[in-house]
Amino acid sequence: AEAGGGGAWTQISSQTASGDTEIDFTTLSADYRDFMVVGSNIKSYINADMWVRVDAGSGFASADYKYTMVGNDSGGSASNVSSNSAAQVTLNYHGWDSAAAYNGAFQVIVFDVHSTTINKIMHCEYDYWDNVHELTCGVGSGSYDGATTAITGLRIMPASGNFPSGEFTLYGRKIT
C-alpha cells in the first residue's frame, strides 16, 4: 500500500451478515475514485447465485448489466458464465453450496464511480464451494451500462434466500 493516499486502499466500513437478504454500501464518498467490496466466510441459506447491483442515483438497478466470468471447479470443469443483458452481475457459475461446512469469498472493484461520462466497469474475483461440493474459482468483469451517472451505492445479494453469515468490507482508493 502506498502512503499519503496515492492509490492505497482505505477501509471505509464493514458489515456482518446475519440472515440479511442483501448487503448495501450507500456511502460512496467523493474522497475516493474506486471502491472495492471484499466478502469472506460468506454462507448461503440455499444453493443460490451471488449477485452485484449498483445504484446509479435512482435505486438499485435490476437491468442493463453485462458480465463475463471464467473459471474452473475442482472436478476439472470450466465454469464460464456470461450475459450481454442481465438483471445483475453474477459472481459464480453454480450456486454457492448451502451446507454448513462450505463458504465462499469474493472481491469486486468498481472503477471511477463518480464519473458522469462513462459506463461503470467492475473487476470481479470469487472462490466458493459450489452446489455439488466442488471448489470453484473465477475471475471476470462486469458493467452497468444503463446510465453514465455516478454510482451512489453497491449491493451484494444472493439470487434467493439470505446470508446466514459473512463479513463484507468496503474499501476506497484515492487517486491524487
Side-chain angles (χ1 to χ4, degrees), residues 45-68:
Y45 176 71
I46 61 173
N47 296 336
D49 292 345
M50 293 297 153
W51 292 355
V52 178
R53 288 185 171 160
V54 301
D55 185 338
S58 58
F60 286 96
S62 59
D64 300 315
Y65 295 92
K66 296 177 179 3
Y67 62 89
T68 183

Side-chain angles (χ1 to χ4, degrees), residues 32-44:
Y32 302 97
R33 179 177 181 172
D34 306 319
F35 289 85
M36 175 173 53
V37 177
V38 174
S40 62
N41 195 23
I42 307 301
K43 303 276 189 179
S44 177

Side-chain angles (χ1 to χ4, degrees), residues 59-135:
F60 286 96
S62 59
D64 300 315
Y65 295 92
K66 296 177 179 3
Y67 62 89
T68 183
M69 306 290 168
V70 296
N72 288 290
D73 63 34
S74 58
S77 298
S79 59
N80 304 330
V81 61
S82 61
S83 178
N84 213 23
S85 177
Q88 73 289 319
V89 171
T90 300
L91 294 178
N92 58 284
Y93 179 67
H94 298 294
W96 288 37
D97 198 315
S98 62
Y102 299 105
N103 64 6
F106 68 86
Q107 171 180 296
V108 174
I109 302 171
V110 184
F111 300 98
D112 298 312
V113 299
H114 302 295
S115 172
T116 58
T117 60
I118 60 171
N119 294 325
K120 306 312 180 278
I121 293 178
M122 303 172 206
H123 174 77
C124 309
E125 298 178 21
Y126 55 84
D127 303 281
Y128 68 99
W129 293 94
D130 71 15
N131 58 5
V132 292
H133 308 305
E134 293 179 332
L135 184 61

